[in-house]
Amino acid sequence: MGGGKRFAVLLCAEDSEYVKKRYGGYYGVFVEMLAEEGETWDVFRVANGEFPDDEQVDRFDGFVITGSCNDAHGNDAWICRLVSLLKKLDSLNKKVLGICFGHQ
């Protein structure tokens, strides 16, 4: 089950105290909900400027973009960088699951 696939969570929010206590952070919520046996899951705290580099992107089968209270159309540096990453993921035909993000 899982086939050794690798996924990344792109964390777009700070962990709440409750989520830290219950799941170890939002990363844990998504891994608990989505991960299958044999898969590897990593996290990049994109809201804090931590992004996968080009070589890392190629290693992942898919990405989960977490929710955020920020404006998805904002001009924050990390949001602009995330938009660029999403365009790259699309061009590479990577699987992407996006969760509620700001002002849809």
Side-chain angles (χ1 to χ4, degrees):
M1 196 155 100
K5 291 185 178 181
R6 189 169 180 185
F7 298 94
V9 174
L10 304 176
L11 192 59
C12 300
E14 294 295 323
D15 295 323
S16 72
E17 289 305 314
Y18 170 78
V19 172
K20 281 187 213 177
K21 186 184 242 183
R22 172 76 169 86
Y23 299 99
Y26 287 115
Y27 165 76
V29 171
F30 292 102
V31 171
E32 184 175 306
M33 181 175 39
L34 300 171
E36 295 184 8
E37 186 178 327
E39 293 176 345
T40 300
W41 284 74
D42 295 317
V43 63
F44 294 92
R45 298 179 185 285
V46 296
N48 293 334
E50 181 185 320
F51 283 80
D53 61 32
D54 289 342
E55 184 179 303
Q56 290 171 310
V57 165
D58 291 337
R59 292 186 218 148
F60 291 102
D61 296 290
F63 296 81
V64 175
I65 304 168
T66 70
S68 177
C69 60
N70 289 284
D71 182 348
H73 302 284
N75 290 323
D76 299 48
W78 72 270
I79 292 175
C80 294
R81 192 169 171 194
L82 181 59
V83 169
S84 293
L85 175 58
L86 290 173
K87 289 176 182 177
K88 178 181 180 105
L89 297 178
D90 184 55
S91 73
L92 295 171
N93 294 316
K94 295 288 186 174
K95 293 180 182 179
V96 176
L97 170 63
I99 309 301
C100 181
F101 190 132
H103 304 280
Q104 287 75 20

